[in-house]
Amino acid sequence: MGCHAADGSANTKAGKNTGAHDFRLPDLEKETDATLIEIVSKGKKKMPKFEEKLKGKEIKQLVEYVRGFLQEVLNWVFGLELAARRKHDESSVRAWMQRGSYVGFSRRNACR
Ligand code: HEM
């Protein structure tokens, strides 16, 4: 995902050149799955279409995957908030999150 970057930030040269979307932003929540499937299938402006390269099921899975970037941010914020509430020190929460046991998943390495 050269345009959207491994962390979904679109913080790549191609991402900046094309104006690719940062998947970690909450505005993705406003889009229905149908809309995102349509965008990945048919493309939109500088976003290429993938309907000839990917099966419908794969595009659906990619949309779920794309939604995961925002979820990860929310989990991170939730983790810190919970830490503050439970007076856990931040480093132990980070350690839990790195182990992925606290929030249930980590995807940073998965997309490379
Ligand atoms: C399979 C790989 C890809 C997936 C799953 C994907 C997914 C998406 C999704 C879901 C959006 C819509 C976001 C929204 O409207 O909130 C989007 C927008 C965009 N993507 Fe991708 N993308 C992929 C590859 C690429 C590539 C390779 C490029 C660059 C060549 C690209 C450039 C863009 C751009 C420019 C937009 C913004 C379109 C607009 O609204 O103007 N994407 N992408």
Side-chain angles (χ1 to χ4, degrees):
M1 288 177 101
C3 292
H4 293 285
D7 64 357
S9 65
N11 195 10
T12 61
K13 197 157 172 272
K16 290 189 183 117
N17 290 347
T18 58
H21 239 129
D22 181 341
F23 295 141
R24 304 162 310 164
L25 297 176
D27 54 351
L28 204 65
E29 292 269 287
K30 295 186 214 113
E31 311 268 15
T32 62
D33 283 356
T35 305
L36 297 181
I37 289 167
E38 180 77 6
I39 292 172
V40 178
S41 307
K42 309 262 187 250
K44 181 185 173 188
K45 298 182 191 158
K46 293 189 179 157
M47 159 76 187
K49 64 179 180 178
F50 286 89
E51 62 188 347
E52 279 135 29
K53 292 190 186 123
L54 299 170
K55 299 193 189 78
K57 189 171 168 238
E58 292 168 323
I59 291 179
K60 210 164 168 289
Q61 286 168 334
L62 271 172
V63 165
E64 275 169 33
Y65 180 80
V66 159
R67 288 202 186 279
F69 289 108
L70 175 58
Q71 189 55 50
E72 196 169 316
V73 172
L74 296 174
N75 287 340
W76 192 79
V77 173
F78 172 74
L80 285 180
E81 198 190 324
L82 200 65
R85 266 203 223 135
R86 291 195 177 156
K87 297 196 176 24
H88 285 293
D89 66 63
E90 198 182 313
S91 60
S92 55
V93 170
R94 278 183 198 284
W96 291 332
M97 289 173 82
Q98 264 141 22
R99 275 205 312 276
S101 58
Y102 191 69
V103 288
F105 73 88
S106 167
R107 59 181 44 250
R108 209 160 293 280
N109 298 322
C111 55
R112 288 219 175 103

